[in-house]
Amino acid sequence: MSLISPACRDALQHWLDAQKALAGNAKNTITAYGGDVTEFLSFMTLHKGEPQGLGALERITISDMRAWMAKARSDGIAARSLARKLSAVKTFYRWLAEREGFEPTAVLSARAPKFQKKLPRPLAEDAARAMIDTVELQSTTDWVAARDVAVVTLLYGCGLRISEALGLQGSDAPLPATLRIIGKGGKERVVPVIDAARDAVETYLRLSPHPLEADTPLFRGVRGGRLNPGAIQGAMARARAQLGLPASATPHAMRHSFATHLLAAGGDLRSIQELLGHASLSTTQAYTAVDTARLMEVYERTHPKA
């Protein structure tokens, strides 16, 4: 017995196509949405004892929603992950209700479990610099070492995501004063390029054995193809072990460090939001909490009345 009726399967696919076309969501986001809603529909089939057609989905109650959420928690799904799944289901239901003309109140009124929002875990300024220096020592091949330094310098110096840095093309070199970056959801932003990043990329290109052409990747793997993120993650893992840094010292932590250090130096949230390419200011505001935590630590350590 199929766990999802043909009508529901078709509706789900139409919704995913609409999300991809209209919202500009990344491929990974669309895949996650599909998986989350499929899990939900499959649960409802088992919960009700038969495949749920579109008519049956209209009759889902708040009790059914609670049963789904309780089963997810009993299966070890974390509160944060369940909140994400519920968000996907609600988005699907809003679309389906408008398309089929029913009232989705029971689904939309389900409350997401509370969870403590994780704050970004940036490196201290000296640790960020040490990471860049130590990454260079992780390869005995000069051009590979220079490549890894260039990538990590872009993450920290320009606040790029690793996918954005590795997505640069030969046509982007030599790096200009500003880069136009296409980030998540197709959102475009302009990022200033600091001299250290430009110099690091030039050093890498001078040593690289692979010819640079406009339509080839800027950063190349050993065999000449586009550099895999795992190579940078591995170099940073070895570097952080050498430096005694925590497991949170990842490529993405360099981007967090960029934002946090800018904020500490007096940067305003709106500007940092634009530099990071965050669609919502609330995402950027997490860095305020990071900086506040650092200030409280200094206060408690140094203030005579603390």
Side-chain angles (χ1 to χ4, degrees), residues 92-240:
F92 170 67
Y93 253 80
R94 286 191 191 96
W95 174 87
L96 186 65
E98 183 176 343
R99 183 172 180 260
E100 299 295 323
F102 68 89
E103 179 54 56
T105 302
V107 173
L108 299 187
S109 63
R111 292 186 178 181
K114 293 183 178 180
F115 59 89
Q116 186 171 5
K117 193 170 184 179
K118 287 186 178 179
L119 294 175
R121 299 182 67 181
L123 281 69
E125 291 185 35
D126 57 347
R129 288 193 294 268
M131 173 61 77
I132 294 172
D133 292 339
T134 309
V135 159
E136 187 174 12
L137 307 177
Q138 305 313 308
S139 176
T140 56
T141 305
D142 289 347
W143 79 267
V144 172
R147 178 200 67 190
D148 295 350
V149 167
V151 173
V152 177
T153 303
L154 279 170
L155 304 182
Y156 178 57
C158 303
L160 300 188
R161 299 177 177 92
I162 189 168
S163 60
E164 295 167 348
L166 301 190
L168 294 174
Q169 293 290 103
S171 56
D172 293 311
L175 295 188
T178 58
L179 278 172
R180 288 192 174 275
I181 299 295
I182 306 298
K184 285 186 176 180
K187 183 177 175 62
E188 182 179 294
R189 70 188 191 276
V190 176
V191 177
V193 179
I194 61 172
D195 290 342
R198 190 178 298 106
D199 293 344
V201 170
E202 288 179 1
T203 299
Y204 152 66
L205 291 176
R206 190 171 62 251
L207 296 173
S208 176
H210 302 294
L212 182 68
E213 298 176 6
D215 60 349
T216 60
L218 179 62
F219 294 110
R220 313 284 277 274
V222 174
R223 296 180 181 178
R226 187 178 297 278
L227 179 60
N228 189 295
I232 301 300
Q233 292 162 349
M236 285 192 64
R238 294 189 294 274
R240 71 172 176 252

Side-chain angles (χ1 to χ4, degrees), residues 235-298:
M236 285 192 64
R238 294 189 294 274
R240 71 172 176 252
Q242 190 171 334
L243 292 168
L245 295 174
S248 57
T250 62
H252 206 63
M254 301 301 283
R255 174 173 152 90
H256 287 322
S257 303
F258 162 84
T260 305
H261 299 165
L262 275 184
L263 183 64
D268 65 278
L269 279 177
R270 280 291 178 192
S271 297
I272 295 172
Q273 177 191 5
E274 290 298 321
L275 290 172
L276 292 173
H278 285 162
S280 169
L281 183 60
S282 63
T283 306
T284 315
Q285 285 173 332
Y287 295 101
T288 305
V290 172
D291 200 50
T292 300
R294 182 187 64 82
L295 291 174
M296 288 303 297
E297 181 184 345
V298 172

Side-chain angles (χ1 to χ4, degrees), residues 1-59:
M1 179 180 70
S2 175
L3 292 182
I4 304 178
S5 71
C8 285
R9 193 181 306 112
D10 289 345
L12 175 57
Q13 188 57 56
H14 287 153
W15 173 67
L16 292 174
D17 291 342
Q19 288 292 303
K20 185 175 182 179
L22 299 178
N25 288 311
K27 183 178 179 180
N28 288 346
T29 302
I30 298 297
T31 300
Y33 278 171
D36 291 339
V37 177
T38 296
E39 287 178 15
F40 172 79
L41 296 175
S42 298
F43 169 83
M44 286 302 165
T45 292
L46 297 173
H47 182 59
K48 298 287 189 177
E50 60 182 0
Q52 300 295 284
L54 296 181
L57 291 184
E58 297 176 18
R59 297 188 292 275

